[in-house]
Amino acid sequence: MEGQHSYRIKELNIESFPKGQISEAWLHIINNGIGEPVRIPIIIARGKEDGPVLGLNAALHGNELNGIPVIQKLINDLNLDELRGTIVGVLVANVPGLLLEQRAFNDGVDLNRISPGKRDGTQSELYVYRLFERIVKKFDYLIDLHTASFGRVNTYYIRADMSDEMSSRMARLQNPEIILNHTPIGITLRGRAAIHGIKTITIELRDPHLFQRDVINDSLVGVRNILYDLKMLPGEILCPADEITLCDSSYWLYTDEGGILNVFPQLGQQLKKGDKIAAVKTIFGKTVKEYFCPEDGVVIGKSVNPINQSGSRILHLGINTKKIPCITVQELVT
């Protein structure tokens, strides 16, 4: 659905957008090196009835693209006559990074590691400060859409604080392969949102630099489930997955030898302690070291870049795993 109105703004004031309409906005966040404005594209869908504000944030890392079509398709398929409350889609949070086709901001800093930023800080600190203050702070709920970064691939998984009832519910409504129980830290956007009482999850939508239709469609089912659960839209919650793998924690395994890296396990594979997970070879093809799983776990993500300097990532191992349901019938009733 094409936006009916387009605006140039410096702060997201939801009450200024008309009810019962979809509006497109360009939020002026900073100026570039020749004084021209850098603007963030935002789409705002307001229902005719008041209700919660659900924000979706894409491309905080500039090479993580799958979240963009999730927002586009969600809004395009929306029936505004049925919507209660407001959906805000931040289509590209890191505009300079996206234009450079890189993960980081244009000063080389990871925007998801410096929240809350600073009003009078560096280029990236100022950008993050304004991103939160002018946009994210206006949300009641936040879905932060990510993917793996360059040279790595991910399962479709969720980061969520499972000790928080609503965040746990939002995570399970996504029907992911894996949920990583991860208390948010304040230097991330999710962590900063949680400090301000915004219920939030991070969705990892597989791989970078791509639009992957299967995971985009899977994510849309989950996002719509949240809208149904919040009574923002009428609809039936769908839980096609019987169960989800929950990890209590996780960590990355790294090489200590350089060379050509081959990582053997598949995404989502359950590993046992001692399973061979990788080998490093010289450029002449001679194996110099093999790597083995240090404990039982599941493969959340892994490296697919064979060019491996010493200290490179092998795989992301989720540990202390158990199976949990998506959302039970009893939970839906209550």
Side-chain angles (χ1 to χ4, degrees), residues 42 150 152 282 328:
I42 304 174
F150 173 76
R152 307 198 294 269
T282 69
T328 66

Side-chain angles (χ1 to χ4, degrees), residues 178-240:
I178 295 170
I179 294 175
L180 176 56
N181 182 22
H182 188 268
T183 302
I185 53 178
I187 61 172
T188 66
L189 189 68
R190 178 169 71 96
R192 193 65 187 168
I195 288 170
H196 282 263
I198 301 167
K199 300 302 183 182
T200 176
I201 59 173
T202 295
I203 305 181
E204 296 282 353
L205 299 170
R206 297 196 186 278
D207 309 332
H209 294 288
L210 298 167
F211 286 162
Q212 295 169 294
R213 295 299 168 187
D214 56 345
V215 75
I216 290 165
N217 290 334
D218 287 344
S219 178
L220 279 164
V221 172
V223 173
R224 290 184 182 120
N225 278 349
I226 289 177
L227 289 166
Y228 302 152
D229 196 50
L230 293 173
K231 304 296 188 289
M232 293 178 69
L233 285 174
E236 181 181 352
I237 290 173
L238 300 176
C239 289

Side-chain angles (χ1 to χ4, degrees), residues 16-264:
S16 68
F17 296 98
K19 288 185 175 182
Q21 292 184 12
I22 293 172
S23 303
E24 297 169 355
W26 289 95
L27 186 141
H28 179 187
I29 188 166
I30 59 168
N31 290 340
N32 66 19
I34 58 171
E36 289 296 304
V38 175
R39 294 187 171 100
I40 292 178
I42 304 174
I43 193 159
I44 303 100
R46 289 197 73 191
K48 295 177 180 178
E49 277 189 68
D50 290 333
V53 178
L54 174 68
L56 296 100
N57 185 72
L60 183 62
H61 293 132
N63 62 349
E64 301 183 2
L65 306 181
N66 273 331
I68 297 172
V70 170
I71 296 171
Q72 291 171 337
K73 187 164 177 56
L74 178 70
I75 300 298
N76 284 341
D77 295 344
L78 196 60
N79 183 344
L80 281 174
D81 291 334
E82 296 179 339
L83 177 64
R84 184 180 70 89
T86 302
I87 301 171
V88 178
V90 182
L91 290 153
V92 180
N94 180 1
V95 173
L98 179 130
L99 294 176
L100 291 169
E101 300 184 47
Q102 67 181 33
R103 174 184 176 87
F105 195 60
N106 62 355
D107 65 354
V109 174
D110 185 338
L111 292 182
N112 207 30
R113 294 295 182 273
I114 58 169
S115 285
K118 293 181 181 178
R119 184 196 302 268
D120 56 354
T122 64
Q123 296 171 15
S124 48
E125 288 171 338
L126 176 62
Y127 191 95
V128 162
Y129 175 82
R130 290 181 177 177
L131 176 68
F132 188 82
E133 292 294 321
R134 297 183 181 187
I135 303 173
V136 177
K137 202 172 180 179
K138 313 302 174 73
F139 303 156
D140 299 313
Y141 303 89
L142 171 63
I143 300 174
D144 195 17
L145 301 165
H146 287 260
T147 74
S149 193
F150 173 76
R152 307 198 294 269
V153 292
N154 275 342
T155 53
Y156 170 39
Y157 82 97
I158 310 295
R159 292 177 181 267
D161 181 0
M162 298 301 282
S163 68
D164 180 88
E165 183 178 355
M166 189 61 210
S167 296
S168 170
R169 191 175 179 93
M170 290 169 67
R172 288 182 294 143
L173 284 166
Q174 297 304 305
N175 306 303
E177 298 168 68
I178 295 170
I179 294 175
L180 176 56
N181 182 22
H182 188 268
T183 302
I185 53 178
I187 61 172
T188 66
L189 189 68
R190 178 169 71 96
R192 193 65 187 168
I195 288 170
H196 282 263
I198 301 167
K199 300 302 183 182
T200 176
I201 59 173
T202 295
I203 305 181
E204 296 282 353
L205 299 170
R206 297 196 186 278
D207 309 332
H209 294 288
L210 298 167
F211 286 162
Q212 295 169 294
R213 295 299 168 187
D214 56 345
V215 75
I216 290 165
N217 290 334
D218 287 344
S219 178
L220 279 164
V221 172
V223 173
R224 290 184 182 120
N225 278 349
I226 289 177
L227 289 166
Y228 302 152
D229 196 50
L230 293 173
K231 304 296 188 289
M232 293 178 69
L233 285 174
E236 181 181 352
I237 290 173
L238 300 176
C239 289
D242 292 331
E243 57 185 12
I244 301 163
T245 299
L246 173 66
C247 307
D248 269 351
S249 60
S250 71
Y251 56 92
W252 276 92
L253 300 170
Y254 295 87
T255 66
D256 58 359
E257 291 284 352
I260 306 303
L261 176 66
N262 187 8
V263 181
F264 303 124

Side-chain angles (χ1 to χ4, degrees), residues 283-332:
I283 196 64
F284 300 103
K286 179 182 178 181
T287 299
V288 293
K289 187 158 187 180
E290 295 179 330
Y291 294 87
F292 300 88
C293 195
E295 59 182 308
D296 294 356
V298 63
V299 180
I300 298 175
K302 69 175 191 174
S303 174
V304 291
N305 183 5
I307 308 305
N308 158 65
Q309 183 170 307
S310 300
S312 295
R313 296 171 189 257
I314 300 173
L315 60 78
H316 185 190
L317 185 69
I319 58 172
N320 302 325
T321 65
K322 65 179 180 180
K323 298 295 186 179
I324 62 169
C326 294
I327 289 290
T328 66
V329 173
Q330 180 61 32
E331 286 176 300
L332 290 177

